[in-house]
Amino acid sequence: MRISMVSEHASPLAALGGVDAGGQNVHVAALSLALARRGHEVSVYTRRDDPALPDRVAVAEGLEVVHVDAGPAEALPKDTLLPYMEDFAAGISADWGASPPDVVHGHFWMSGVAALDAARRLDGPGYPVPVVQTFHALGSVKKRHQGAEDTSPSERTWLEPSVGRNADRVVATCSDEVFELKALGIPGSRISVVPCGVDLSLFGAEGPVEPRQRRHRIATIGRLVPRKGMDLVIRALALMAGQGIDDVELLIVGGGSDSAGLDRDPEARRLKALAKELGVEDRVVMRGQVPREQMPAVLRSADAVVCAPWYEPFGITPLEAMACGIPVVASAVGGLIDTVVHGKTGLHVPPRDPEALAEALAELLGHPAYARRLGAAGLARANARYSWDRVAADTEKAYQATVTASPRRRLQPLGGQAL
């Protein structure tokens, strides 16, 4: 099968850890590699953000990345990219020429806009190429939790649901997302659930363990943005200290690549100020970015990994921790409800609840045998359910169901408005 992945801002070649680089980059790269291993030909289309980038990069047998000119060839925040999606779609369609793919898979809502537009260009008002869409994050959920802090363009409110309704199939990454998609008017019959995966060749229970400075270590990992809830973990650390559980260090991974970068990061400064205010400044270690190949040793060094976002479309960090045999304390939101099984592979807590976080962490630190059992169960679950090869096989089934579906639907105007 010839597959076109469309990922306008999240190139699989991008370094992780920037403001707009993270789980989606990992997802697109790993899924594309796994599909290529299964014998498919995969081209990933992404926006050129550096004039020095070559037009095409061969990543592996059966996998290439294609850089498309759309807007200035420089790094731009993803929420400013919508005006360039028409050029992006034109570049994709031109590259297809007279040999379109068997299926095109959009990642993120703006990629969906471009994928549908590129497909439509092949055959006037209809389109011969089936379009599959994965949103990775939904604007309706983001707006609900961030309110006025949401920087999405206003057009997202009508374009995103229209992308979902026009796509031949939507691949949700968790069961919670299905309810959100149905609320946007997307029929359940056209929704498949396929989770994200974890690189089991890199993340595992055996291997080096990074040294730590205190008896216990808890870790939280991700982009330094308020919605990730890292301030909640600092508050939980202070609450535990007040209960006498004070030989604990909190490792925060994410943000700038060095101390100067962290000093310029407003969220890093806010977290440091909070730790100082709560009297735990000496127990909070802000690491900044960590090279991906070093992450397993970091994870293995922790007694528990905390994922405390306000909301989370999926979340790859819990899977990476589970694959290393480390129990996870997670907010009971979004994809974390599926990946972390409460009382089996980790513990769920209500979102935005530092007291519940402190209680769960105290339980794990105070009962190491229980924590080890949770970690072992998480390791087994990660290996059984979340390998990228299994994720690719499930995605392939979604593609096959889409390609064989008939009759072909006709493309409707997105949201009743022109692109």
Side-chain angles (χ1 to χ4, degrees), residues 228-293:
K228 292 294 185 178
M230 293 180 180
D231 56 335
L232 301 170
V233 192
I234 294 174
R235 293 185 183 279
L237 181 70
L239 289 169
M240 287 192 294
Q243 299 165 4
I245 310 171
D246 55 1
D247 197 6
V248 183
E249 66 181 5
L250 168 60
L251 178 66
I252 299 177
V253 177
S257 58
D258 53 29
S259 58
L262 287 173
D263 288 341
R264 292 190 298 268
D265 189 308
E267 181 66 3
R269 293 199 302 269
R270 184 178 78 92
L271 295 175
K272 288 180 180 179
L274 178 63
K276 183 175 182 179
E277 175 190 337
L278 297 176
V280 293
E281 184 180 21
D282 61 327
R283 300 168 205 170
V284 176
V285 180
M286 298 201 67
R287 178 69 61 81
Q289 294 179 28
V290 171
R292 188 159 177 77
E293 64 272 12

Side-chain angles (χ1 to χ4, degrees), residues 277-328:
E277 175 190 337
L278 297 176
V280 293
E281 184 180 21
D282 61 327
R283 300 168 205 170
V284 176
V285 180
M286 298 201 67
R287 178 69 61 81
Q289 294 179 28
V290 171
R292 188 159 177 77
E293 64 272 12
Q294 296 178 19
M295 280 305 304
V298 171
L299 290 166
R300 295 184 199 111
S301 73
D303 296 287
V305 170
V306 183
C307 302
W310 306 347
Y311 67 97
E312 186 60 71
F314 186 80
I316 289 179
T317 295
L319 290 184
E320 295 174 344
M322 289 162 56
C324 290
I326 305 302
V328 178

Side-chain angles (χ1 to χ4, degrees), residues 89-98:
I92 295 168
S93 181
D95 190 71
W96 290 343

Side-chain angles (χ1 to χ4, degrees), residues 129-150:
V129 180
V131 177
V132 174
Q133 174 67 21
T134 296
F135 285 105
H136 292 277
L138 287 170
S140 55
V141 179
K142 184 178 181 183
K143 189 72 173 179
R144 185 185 312 149
H145 289 277
Q146 294 194 12
E149 300 298 318
D150 180 11

Side-chain angles (χ1 to χ4, degrees), residues 66 79 89 115 168 179 188 295 318 331 341 352 390:
V66 183
D79 286 333
D168 293 87
F179 297 103
M295 280 305 304
S331 300
V341 182
R352 304 200 198 199
R390 173 162 178 178

Side-chain angles (χ1 to χ4, degrees), residues 35 41 45 67 84 126 162 232 259 263 272 283 287 311 332 334 348 353 393:
L35 286 167
E41 295 180 20
Y45 292 89
H67 295 112
Y84 310 120
S162 295
L232 301 170
S259 58
D263 288 341
K272 288 180 180 179
R283 300 168 205 170
R287 178 69 61 81
Y311 67 97
H348 284 156
D353 190 338

